[in-house]
């Protein structure tokens, strides 16, 4: 127990250092506001159950909602399309320590990214473990703190505080890796290493990263990366070659690519952990954009109470008019119903390169 507590404490401490406190006002101008409403009492938890830091949300093809959250233990809950609690997945699972991301693939398999165990796990829709990428440090080694000083050279199958996972139409797997490695890794559908971009070293050129904090893939196989400490989003092709960067939307906190025949990108300029002085005035909004980076509108603002946001860590946008947000500091999940502006905002897209 002491080993577990020490490990979590070390990780939690690292979340409060300089990268987590980064903040930047978006440069996009004349962006129309998207009216929205928050669905009250969206999720119904069983008596005596509570959500912790709701860092990750996802939906499947049935509309079921998955919430991967940090509580006394890291836990994964499944709710039906109406927000009724269905079950807990992975209770006591060795790959759960410090939740960071949950995603659902085209076959409704559930993928968790755990920053504390350095593991990405694929569960079947029923909750059976199908694949593991990465490895948890063995308990016999004792508490393993986050690396200090230069990172070790990145390895094909060893992750270091990974942050997100995505999939292309062929089933290839893309992982943003993460807090100590600064790279994106591509594996094939069977989990075999294919390629990487970036390395253990932080960088600011195209194809380099400084805390790749979120990742998603569009229908063409292009990869969108929230390059958080570089205050940008990078777009890569399917072979991980850089295409462009989007630099006008503040901090690159998280990205979501919608479903449907016409896909959109949702990108969050989240207020930082700890809400440092002045952050509420310049952060907190979410942007809706075309895949080329042209901004269509924005919505949301910081706030302790719904419909305000307190550090939107991840979003689900399977339905582009219904965005589900997972928030760290208010320990909640919101379902937002959007009314979408129809016009593109040419001036707002000026920062996309």
């Amino acid at each position: 127990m002491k080993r577990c507590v020490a490990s979590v404490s070390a990780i939690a401490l690292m979340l409060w250092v300089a990268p987590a406190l980064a903040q930047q006002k978006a440069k996009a101008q004349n962006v129309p506001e998207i009216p929205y409403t928050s669905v009250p009492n969206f999720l119904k938890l069983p008596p005596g159950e509570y959500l912790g830091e709701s860092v990750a949300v996802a939906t499947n093809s049935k509309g079921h909602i998955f919430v991967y959250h940090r509580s006394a233990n890291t836990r994964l809950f499944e709710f039906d399309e109406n927000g009724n609690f269905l079950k807990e997945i992975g209770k006591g699972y060795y790959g759960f320590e410090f939740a960071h991301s949950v995603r659902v693939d085209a076959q409704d398999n559930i993928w968790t990214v755990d920053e504390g165990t350095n593991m990405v796990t694929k569960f079947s829709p029923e909750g059976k473990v199908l694949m593991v990428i990465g490895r948890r440090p063995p308990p016999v080694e004792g508490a393993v703190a986050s690396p200090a000083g230069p990172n070790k050279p990145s390895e094909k199958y060893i992750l270091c505080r990974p942050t997100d996972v995505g999939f292309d139409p062929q089933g290839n797997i893309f992982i943003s890796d993460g807090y100590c490695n600064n790279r994106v890794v591509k594996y094939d559908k069977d989990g075999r290493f294919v390629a990487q971009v970036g390395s253990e070293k932080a960088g600011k050129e195209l194809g380099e990263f400084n805390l790749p904090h979120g990742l998603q893939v569009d229908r063409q196989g292009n990869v969108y990366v929230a390059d958080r400490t570089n205050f940008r989003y990078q777009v890569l092709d399917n072979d991980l070659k850089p295409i462009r960067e989007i630099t006008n939307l503040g901090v690159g906190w998280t990205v979501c690519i919608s479903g449907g025949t016409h896909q959109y990108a949702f990108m969050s300029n989240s207020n930082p952990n700890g809400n440092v002085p002045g952050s509420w005035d310049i952060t907190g909004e979410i942007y809706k954009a075309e895949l080329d980076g042209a901004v269509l509108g924005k919505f949301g603002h910081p706030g302790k109470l719904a419909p305000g946001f307190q550090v939107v860590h991840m979003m689900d946008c399977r339905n582009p008019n219904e965005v589900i947000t997972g928030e760290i500091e208010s320990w909640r999940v919101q379902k937002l119903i959007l009314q979408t502006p129809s016009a593109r905002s040419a001036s707002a897209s000026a920062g996309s390169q």
Side-chain angles (χ1 to χ4, degrees), residues 57-66 78-82 86 103-111 124-126 167 259-260 316-319 322 324:
V57 291
T59 61
N60 67 10
S61 63
K62 299 177 182 178
H64 291 188
I65 303 105
F66 299 87
E78 181 179 357
F79 302 82
D80 70 15
E81 65 276 16
N82 297 313
L86 292 178
R103 302 290 187 181
V104 177
D105 65 22
Q107 290 74 44
D108 278 349
N109 299 304
I110 309 144
W111 296 70
S124 72
E126 297 74 34
F167 326 96
D316 178 271
C317 60
R318 181 183 292 266
N319 179 344
E322 296 182 0
I324 301 173

Side-chain angles (χ1 to χ4, degrees), residues 14-48:
M14 290 298 294
L15 292 179
W16 287 84
V17 298
L21 300 180
Q23 57 181 334
Q24 180 169 298
K25 183 177 181 179
K27 301 183 182 76
Q29 301 295 317
N30 303 318
V31 178
E33 291 284 341
I34 301 176
Y36 73 99
T37 56
S38 177
V39 178
N41 304 314
F42 171 45
L43 297 181
K44 292 94 173 172
L45 287 155

Side-chain angles (χ1 to χ4, degrees), residues 31-32 34 264 288-290 294-298 340-345 348:
V31 178
I34 301 176
Y264 299 94
K288 180 179 181 179
E290 300 285 3
V295 177
L296 299 173
K298 65 179 180 179
T340 309
S342 58
R344 292 163 61 105
S345 174

Side-chain angles (χ1 to χ4, degrees), residues 278-309:
S279 65
W280 280 37
D281 296 328
I282 63 172
T283 60
E285 73 280 7
I286 296 171
Y287 292 88
K288 180 179 181 179
E290 300 285 3
L291 296 186
D292 63 5
V295 177
L296 299 173
K298 65 179 180 179
F299 58 96
H301 56 83
K304 292 288 187 182
L305 298 175
F309 301 145

